[in-house]
Amino acid sequence: MEEITDISGGYIEHDFVAEYYDYILPYADDIDYYINLAKQSGGPVLELATGTGRTIIPLAKAGIEIIGLDISSRMLNLCRKQIEKEKEVVRSRITLLERDMRDFNINRTFPLVTIPYSSFTYLTEVEDQLSCLESVNRHLEPGGTFFMTVFNESVQALEDTGAFKEFDITPEFTMPDGRKVYRRFCYVERDYTRQVEVKDSIFYVTHRNGKKERLVHRFSMRYFFSFELIHLFARAGLEVTGLYSDYNGTPHDAAIRDGMIIVTARKGN
Ligand SMILES: C[S@@+](CC[C@H](N)C(=O)[O-])C[C@H]1O[C@@H](n2cnc3c(N)ncnc32)[C@H](O)[C@@H]1O
């Protein structure tokens, strides 16, 4: 299987991956959920793999103090630019840290730690997953909550080889400088033993002067099964308190194609 050296999923290596992120992911279904979760916890919140600030900025606007941690300076720079557009009272609630979620120590504990939008799946190796969860556990207050989502790779999806041919994934968008971009997607490899998939996110770019580019972002992701997550969390001292398939609390169903596994956990005793 092809080894990918950038463990961030390409966010360190490729400028274009960070640059196009907010255009390919106008996703906001989870924001209200995170705001409610944060309010229930009382804050402050630690968010891992925070990216361009998709979730932390709305949380800060809702009055939550939040620390966002990410390994990619490219993503954090874009996040800073977004934060600069906010009022001082909102800006003052946000702290950004350039750190690796596989092992971090910020000498503070939190009532709530989160990893939104499947970012945990960039950790393809068990020792990295475990050390990330141990770091999470160290940063939780007694009784504190951990919340994350990972994508659900259903058995039907695992059987299907259709995704190994390029397919459309996001509508065309236009960058502020006039570049027109559309993205296609293609699975490259699937290792059923390691539970790792190599995928290509392919950007077709047409510049204003007519120049065309095909930019390929190749990355690896690890898919998980629910009992594996329960055992993995237990090894890190975290007790899984719920497994869901959506933000309405529908119980996890491994058969849902293109779905997700939402995991809630609390710090063990
Ligand atoms: C799919 S984006 C998610 C960004 C944001 N959480 C969101 O929901 O839009 C994945 C993010 O994970 C970050 N990331 C990947 N590996 C990481 C690691 N080991 N430590 C910290 N951040 C990491 C990437 O830099 C990228 O910003």
Side-chain angles (χ1 to χ4, degrees):
M1 178 168 216
E2 178 169 352
E3 287 305 322
I4 312 271
T5 48
D6 178 357
I7 69 98
S8 76
Y11 293 93
I12 295 174
E13 190 180 349
H14 299 298
D15 195 19
F16 67 89
V17 174
E19 188 187 14
Y20 297 148
Y21 186 79
D22 287 333
Y23 296 87
I24 62 171
L25 201 85
Y27 174 76
D29 292 7
D30 51 357
I31 304 290
D32 286 346
Y33 188 90
Y34 283 112
I35 290 175
N36 285 335
L37 201 63
K39 285 192 169 162
Q40 277 165 27
S41 80
V45 177
L46 174 63
E47 183 183 277
L48 308 183
T50 212
T52 56
R54 189 181 67 81
T55 42
I56 58 166
I57 296 171
L59 262 76
K61 280 173 143 170
I64 313 291
E65 190 199 332
I66 183 152
I67 296 186
L69 175 156
D70 201 284
I71 197 172
S72 164
S73 59
R74 296 183 194 282
M75 294 295 270
L76 290 175
N77 284 341
L78 290 169
C79 188
R80 276 185 204 101
K81 283 196 185 133
Q82 296 299 334
I83 293 169
E84 277 163 20
K85 295 180 192 159
E86 299 298 332
K87 295 190 184 119
E88 167 56 23
V89 63
V90 175
R91 294 203 304 263
S92 70
R93 295 187 189 120
I94 303 176
T95 307
L96 295 180
L97 297 173
E98 189 177 328
R99 302 283 164 85
D100 188 339
M101 68 176 160
R102 289 179 298 173
D103 189 13
F104 58 92
N105 199 352
I106 57 176
N107 296 314
R108 217 176 139 176
T109 57
F110 298 82
L112 176 65
V113 180
T114 63
I115 310 183
Y117 208 63
S118 284
S119 302
F120 189 72
T121 63
Y122 292 114
L123 308 185
T124 54
E125 305 310 313
V126 172
E127 49 283 17
D128 289 344
Q129 296 153 13
L130 197 52
S131 116
C132 173
L133 294 173
E134 285 166 351
S135 296
V136 166
N137 195 19
R138 279 199 305 278
H139 290 81
L140 280 174
E141 286 176 11
T145 299
F146 174 51
F147 179 96
M148 77 170 188
T149 72
V150 294
F151 65 90
N152 177 59
E153 203 63 306
S154 67
V155 173
Q156 294 93 322
L158 286 171
E159 274 180 352
D160 186 357
T161 51
F164 286 82
K165 278 188 266 159
E166 261 188 48
F167 58 95
D168 289 327
I169 191 155
T170 26
E172 184 178 82
F173 56 89
T174 306
M175 297 297 287
D177 65 3
R179 268 172 294 167
K180 292 205 180 301
V181 186
Y182 76 93
R183 184 167 80 117
R184 307 195 81 206
F185 213 72
C186 185
Y187 281 47
V188 180
E189 284 182 76
R190 177 180 286 141
D191 185 326
Y192 289 96
T193 309
R194 288 177 61 217
Q195 294 174 212
V196 173
E197 293 170 331
V198 179
K199 307 174 188 185
D200 279 351
S201 175
I202 308 158
F203 296 88
Y204 290 88
V205 186
T206 308
H207 293 255
R208 283 183 72 170
N209 63 7
K211 183 183 145 198
K212 289 188 189 293
E213 281 180 296
R214 181 179 184 271
L215 304 171
V216 180
H217 165 208
R218 180 160 292 181
F219 58 101
S220 299
M221 282 185 144
R222 167 70 191 266
Y223 56 88
F224 293 93
F225 298 105
S226 55
F227 286 105
E228 172 191 12
L229 288 168
I230 293 172
H231 289 289
L232 188 64
F233 274 49
R235 285 178 71 194
L238 293 163
E239 183 195 343
V240 171
T241 51
L243 291 165
Y244 308 98
S245 59
D246 61 31
Y247 295 102
N248 299 320
T250 307
H252 165 60
D253 177 349
I256 298 178
R257 199 162 174 170
D258 299 326
M260 59 183 167
I261 311 179
I262 295 179
V263 192
T264 58
R266 72 172 152 245
K267 191 178 176 72
N269 295 317

